[in-house]
Amino acid sequence: MKQITIRKPDDFHVHLRDGYLLAETVAASARCFGRVLVMPNLQPPILNAVQAKLYKERIQTANPCNHNFKPLMTLYLTDSTTIQQLDEAKISGVVACKLYPAGATTNSQEAVNHIGQLYPLFEHMQKIGLLLLVHGEVTESQVDIFDRESVFIEKYLQSIVSNFPKLKIVFEHITTRDAVQFVLDSPETIAATITVQHLQYNRNDLFMGGLKPHNYCLPILKRSVHQQALRDAVSTGTSKFFLGTDSAPHEKHRKESSCGCAGCYSAWSAIEIYAQIFEELGCLDKFERFASENGAHFYGLPLNEETITLIKQPWQIPSMISLATGQELVPFMAGETIQWKLS
Ligand code: NCD
Ligand code: ZN
């Protein structure tokens, strides 16, 4: 196959950041995605409707082109989020709330310490139709970092799912066989996003031939059996799995550091790498559903009308992106050649 045209995809998990970075990140996502679900873990985080609205305006102002590009906004849950904040968010068009266990990942220090105490909020979200997005990792230091997702399922997620049968929950950026199985065994109200890095790589790619800070993200890359479970999950074409890149830029010097930041900046090439993976798996026929339909259906959104075309033409991902403001970003799979290109 030399080219493939699909309905315009959506990215249901992206970190656009703020300020000078918006010009870069918005352009990189708007080149191919119709809608992006914008994560709220700014510093300070997006805690209420007013902040979400102002952030959305900054994103829209940064959109460089006339592409039909729509940011969907989310709220960052904390121990002190109120019912009133949820109501105001819903009215203002916020679509979901993100649960970060405090300390689980980048800019999550101010997030949730006592998940059980959020149940009245979940009850209310279920009632008014706000989705719950979950960063599913426990943070207890004695739990091995490679087990944090599976322990979270047992310790928290199972009980959230069974207590709120009408609450729509997205288990974000799943990384394990356990998570795939949990989502498949759960009711229709539970779905999951899958990133390009967790399909493309396993934990060897963090350590082989030297430490690879640009492959460090959270949840961390897992063993190859887990990578394979994710690849199997997307190749079945099940509607419960959909595209969320988790594209998460950090400046080069913050990644290449004695205490490096977690996050892969994949927006430059994510759609192309997903296409390459689906082709490797022999399931390009399932690609459009994963990228452009399953997520929209789950969120209750109309499908995008436009299309994008990818052509089979090798190209090299840049080894570095230098911003006009002087900062440097290293994109995911920097310097590597991939087989599909956005036309
Ligand atoms: C994300 C970030 O940098 O904001 N990092 C990451 O490794 N994925 C946060 C997140 O989604 O966990
Ligand atoms: Zn993320």
Side-chain angles (χ1 to χ4, degrees):
M1 199 183 293
K2 287 276 182 288
Q3 72 172 51
I4 159 173
T5 295
I6 59 166
R7 193 184 284 286
K8 199 170 195 185
D10 301 309
D11 182 353
F12 280 101
H13 185 131
V14 71
H15 301 268
L16 295 177
R17 312 301 191 206
D18 207 350
Y20 71 88
L21 270 173
L22 283 179
E24 162 62 27
T25 56
V26 173
S29 289
R31 74 192 177 94
C32 62
F33 293 115
R35 291 166 293 212
V36 291
L37 191 78
V38 185
M39 290 299 124
N41 63 330
L42 301 183
Q43 223 169 12
I46 301 298
L47 300 175
N48 58 51
V50 173
Q51 289 167 345
K53 179 170 173 285
L54 293 173
Y55 183 30
K56 184 177 185 175
E57 285 167 10
R58 295 196 294 278
I59 294 166
Q60 283 166 328
T61 306
N63 186 4
C65 42
N66 294 326
H67 284 154
N68 212 345
F69 175 76
K70 190 167 179 222
L72 303 168
M73 307 311 290
T74 62
L75 228 56
Y76 178 107
L77 293 172
T78 71
D79 293 325
S80 42
T81 303
T82 64
I83 300 273
Q84 188 184 344
Q85 284 171 335
L86 297 181
D87 282 332
E88 288 166 359
K90 176 71 186 175
I91 290 166
S92 78
V94 165
V95 300
C97 298
K98 180 76 186 274
L99 165 61
Y100 292 103
T105 188
T106 307
N107 297 345
S108 61
Q109 306 81 337
E110 294 146 76
V112 178
N113 289 290
H114 307 288
I115 294 178
Q117 290 177 19
L118 257 51
Y119 275 28
L121 297 184
F122 298 163
E123 185 79 49
H124 197 68
M125 288 165 61
Q126 170 172 264
K127 185 169 138 206
I128 65 176
L130 274 174
L131 281 82
L132 175 65
L133 316 180
V134 181
H135 183 111
E137 290 193 287
V138 296
T139 53
E140 288 85 346
S141 59
Q142 74 277 11
V143 178
D144 190 282
I145 189 167
F146 294 100
D147 297 332
R148 289 182 179 188
E149 184 173 275
S150 51
V151 174
F152 186 89
I153 296 172
E154 283 166 36
K155 205 166 164 194
Y156 298 106
L157 197 53
Q158 270 169 355
S159 103
I160 298 174
V161 169
S162 57
N163 277 285
F164 304 98
K166 297 213 171 83
L167 179 63
K168 279 195 175 176
I169 301 172
V170 184
F171 193 175
E172 296 291 341
H173 41 51
I174 58 168
T175 62
T176 57
R177 186 170 52 187
D178 316 62
V180 168
Q181 202 53 50
F182 177 77
V183 171
L184 289 174
D185 292 344
S186 294
E188 286 309 303
T189 46
I190 317 304
T193 49
I194 300 183
T195 76
V196 78
Q197 64 266 23
H198 294 104
L199 291 170
Q200 177 72 17
Y201 286 152
N202 61 61
R203 67 190 196 180
N204 278 349
D205 298 290
L206 268 175
F207 305 117
M208 282 231 295
L211 188 64
K212 304 283 169 53
H214 299 290
N215 292 343
Y216 173 55
C217 64
L218 289 169
I220 200 159
L221 295 170
K222 303 297 192 298
R223 280 179 182 277
S224 63
V225 289
H226 296 293
Q227 177 194 14
Q228 194 54 50
L230 298 175
R231 292 168 77 98
D232 291 346
V234 300
S235 61
T236 61
T238 312
S239 62
K240 284 179 162 244
F241 302 109
F242 51 86
L243 188 155
T245 62
D246 196 17
S247 180
H250 293 273
E251 282 180 54
K252 180 172 184 281
H253 72 95
R254 293 189 190 278
K255 296 282 299 172
E256 298 173 7
S257 149
S258 60
C259 185
C261 294
C264 301
Y265 183 40
S266 61
W268 269 67
S269 55
I271 197 69
E272 294 89 343
I273 303 170
Y274 278 117
Q276 177 170 302
I277 293 167
F278 274 73
E279 185 183 40
E280 278 166 23
L281 295 171
C283 62
L284 264 179
D285 59 318
K286 311 277 174 28
F287 182 46
E288 182 173 42
R289 257 177 277 164
F290 175 80
S292 319
E293 295 178 4
N294 294 346
H297 288 319
F298 191 77
Y299 274 84
L301 298 168
L303 298 178
N304 294 321
E305 300 281 340
E306 293 164 75
T307 59
I308 61 162
T309 296
L310 293 151
I311 48 177
K312 194 85 186 277
Q313 183 189 104
W315 65 288
Q316 197 182 18
I317 300 174
S319 54
M320 177 127 79
I321 298 155
S322 299
L323 306 185
T325 41
Q327 290 82 5
E328 294 177 327
L329 301 172
V330 176
F332 180 62
M333 289 180 74
E336 302 217 21
T337 299
I338 53 171
Q339 300 306 316
W340 289 90
K341 197 172 194 317
L342 188 70
S343 113

